[in-house]
């Protein structure tokens, strides 16, 4: 190949919009090595280099890391289809999370405009949602769920302690401490917030999948509480 078929690094930079320093870095990490380096250490690139840089740009714009791009370019076993599916799921989850944030801001804005008391989201039904698509979809599709105007965190803490005590000692619904738990749950959670059957079903799944993020309500003590109310 004659020198006329090579272009300098600066020329490749101007053609592709990738800075000279970035091209140098790509060479350093063995992502895009020059086609030729002369005795002065000057980098030169050919038509194949030109094609590769656009592959790199395209994959980077789709969210691939440089490490993943390097695997794709140098490893024939790299399955880009798996990457595409994983990236699609990540983006869909991120979009859902942004929709939820927007919804919560809208609710807050509405409450401020109505001069309602501003409190934390009802625990545990309005706990922070994780990156779980099913639960996130529920929150987007049911924006009409209302929040309790007041929430006493000390009362909630006492309720959780009482509920765990009742569970540990296997108390029945006839016990005064168990009755206290049932009354608290019905008055401060279900009735005060008009919790629908769909919301209850969602919450049960949430307790199961996110035990560390449900403010003391676990799958075990929740099932026990439901059992008490059904006795």
């Amino acid at each position: 190949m004659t020198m006329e078929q090579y272009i300098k690094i600066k020329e490749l930079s101007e053609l592709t919009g990738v800075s000279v320093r970035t091209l140098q870095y790509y060479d350093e990490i063995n992502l895009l090595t020059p086609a030729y380096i002369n005795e002065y250490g000057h980098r030169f690139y050919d038509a194949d280099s030109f094609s590769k840089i656009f592959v790199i740009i395209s994959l980077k714009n789709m969210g691939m890391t440089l490490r993943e791009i390097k695997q794709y370019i140098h490893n024939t076993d790299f399955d880009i289809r798996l990457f595409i599916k994983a990236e699609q799921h990540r983006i869909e989850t991120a979009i859902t999370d942004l929709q939820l944030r927007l919804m919560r801001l809208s609710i807050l804005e509405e409450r401020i405009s109505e001069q309602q008391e501003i409190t934390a989201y009802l625990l545990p039904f309005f706990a922070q949602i994780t990156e779980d698509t099913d639960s996130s979809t529920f929150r987007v599709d049911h924006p009409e769920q209302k929040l309790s105007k007041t929430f006493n965190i000390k009362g909630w803490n006492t309720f959780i302690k009482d509920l765990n005590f009742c569970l540990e000692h296997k108390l029945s619904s006839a016990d005064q401490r168990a009755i206290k738990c049932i009354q608290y749950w019905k008055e401060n959670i279900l009735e005060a917030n008009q919790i629908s059957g769909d919301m209850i079903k969602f919450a049960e799944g949430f307790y199961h999948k996110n035990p560390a993020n449900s403010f003391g309500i676990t799958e075990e003590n929740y099932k026990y509480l439901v059992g008490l109310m059904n006795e």
Side-chain angles (χ1 to χ4, degrees), residues 15-51:
L15 286 171
T16 61
V18 179
S19 70
V20 170
R21 181 64 195 100
T22 297
L23 291 172
Q24 291 171 339
Y25 177 67
Y26 288 170
D27 181 21
E28 292 169 9
I29 64 173
N30 196 33
L31 178 60
L32 179 69
T33 56
Y36 169 70
I37 299 179
N38 66 13
E39 63 271 24
Y40 303 107
H42 297 154
R43 296 174 173 89
F44 293 86
Y45 297 84
D46 58 10
D48 185 56
S49 308
F50 190 75
S51 299

